[in-house]
Amino acid sequence: MTTKREQTLSEMGLGPIWKLRASTLPAAAEEAPLTVAAAEPERGTLELRADQAHVAGTSWEALAAEVSACHQCRLCEQRKQAVLGVGDVQADWLFVGEAPGAEEDQRGEPFVGQAGKLLDNMLAAIDLVRGRDVYIANAVKCRPPENRTPATEEIATCRPYLERQIELIQPKLIVALGRPAAQTLLQTEVKIGAARGKLHAYKNIPLIVSYHPAYLLRTLLDKAKAWEDLCFMKQTMKALKGD
Ligand code: URA
């Protein structure tokens, strides 16, 4: 039977919905891994990539351990700690940023510096509170030195961790904050100005692109557009929930 949510997504051009159910996920890495192919047969992404294999089917605990011990790229050399993410692991909302900065590296939590304060205010504007029905993660889990933009290979190396987080959370809506997050999730060149205001999809999950809060701190003029994006996010979630 078609649920209201499936119907809404289908009307938005995002159906059919194929969701992993929590009960179908193996509890630990050593159990038979559930392949993406079995769970999400859409848009030509039927095969599990070789570089995803090490986190395929992992539990949150195993994923967190894997990320904190990760040495797969050079970012591990200067980090204090890897920053997996924060929030409700069954949240409807997933916000994805770029990479931890200095404060995040110190504290082990994403978006706790100036940009994080703005993000918290943005969340408040749509009646969300960090940790409650929201999960916040980054495309890259370790701080790039001097807060440079993560390199393409660093983003690609880290991508399986984000993908596994998404499989575990099963959010109703993903918000990509800024270009690196949007490009990582959409796997294509993105210009924020052109991509915002539209509904995209990561696999079958609706995805909205908006400005990165750090950019908004520097660019006052785009704050009005960010507000429009927040309204769009809220409306979209409302539709997804069938409210
Ligand atoms: N910017 C990001 O993209 N992520 C953080 O965690 C902090 C700043």
Side-chain angles (χ1 to χ4, degrees):
M1 207 170 80
T2 313
T3 65
K4 181 92 180 15
R5 174 173 143 72
E6 284 166 344
Q7 195 184 335
T8 307
L9 281 168
S10 166
E11 281 162 12
M12 289 169 160
L14 292 171
I17 305 306
W18 289 69
K19 294 274 281 181
L20 289 173
R21 260 181 246 111
S23 59
T24 65
L25 295 173
E30 59 270 19
E31 292 180 36
L34 184 73
T35 63
V36 170
E40 295 178 320
E42 51 84 41
R43 299 195 184 176
T45 54
L46 295 186
E47 280 159 34
L48 190 68
R49 292 202 322 259
D51 62 354
Q52 284 178 302
H54 65 295
V55 287
T58 50
S59 63
W60 271 112
E61 292 72 22
L63 180 66
E66 184 86 34
V67 168
S68 67
C70 183
H71 282 83
Q72 300 221 19
C73 84
R74 63 195 160 167
L75 294 183
C76 67
E77 290 162 17
Q78 293 184 48
R79 72 171 180 223
K80 183 168 184 303
Q81 58 192 314
V83 180
L84 180 64
V86 69
D88 178 352
V89 294
Q90 294 185 315
D92 286 342
W93 296 83
L94 170 65
F95 283 75
V96 181
E98 182 176 320
E103 284 191 63
E104 290 77 20
D105 180 61
Q106 279 292 325
R107 290 176 46 189
E109 182 171 332
F111 283 100
V112 288
Q114 284 304 347
K117 291 200 179 85
L118 179 55
L119 177 60
D120 287 342
N121 290 340
M122 291 162 68
L123 294 178
I126 47 172
D127 305 319
L128 293 174
V129 178
R130 177 183 291 249
R132 206 185 306 153
D133 205 21
V134 187
Y135 192 91
I136 303 172
N138 282 308
V140 167
K141 310 305 185 203
C142 297
R143 181 195 179 198
E146 317 302 330
N147 293 343
R148 65 167 167 76
T149 303
T152 310
E153 325 81 76
E154 292 160 352
I155 293 177
T157 305
C158 221
R159 192 176 138 91
Y161 297 138
L162 179 61
E163 290 180 341
R164 184 63 190 145
Q165 285 178 294
I166 297 172
E167 284 176 357
L168 286 163
I169 298 167
Q170 303 184 57
K172 283 196 169 57
L173 180 62
I174 301 175
V175 178
L177 299 166
R179 207 162 172 231
Q183 294 190 159
T184 302
L185 290 164
L186 297 176
Q187 290 287 280
T188 184
E189 274 285 313
V190 171
K191 290 209 165 62
I192 301 297
R196 57 174 288 278
K198 296 179 187 149
L199 202 55
H200 304 267
Y202 166 83
K203 300 190 178 171
N204 281 113
I205 304 173
L207 182 150
I208 289 174
V209 172
S210 189
Y211 295 102
H212 191 285
Y215 167 83
L216 291 172
L217 288 173
R218 300 189 300 267
T219 320
L220 285 172
L221 277 177
D222 281 332
K223 287 223 175 95
K225 292 188 194 155
W227 174 253
E228 286 170 16
D229 293 348
L230 287 166
C231 295
F232 178 47
M233 290 168 206
K234 199 170 174 191
Q235 273 167 18
T236 304
M237 181 59 88
K238 207 165 167 244
L240 290 169
K241 286 183 166 175
D243 292 345

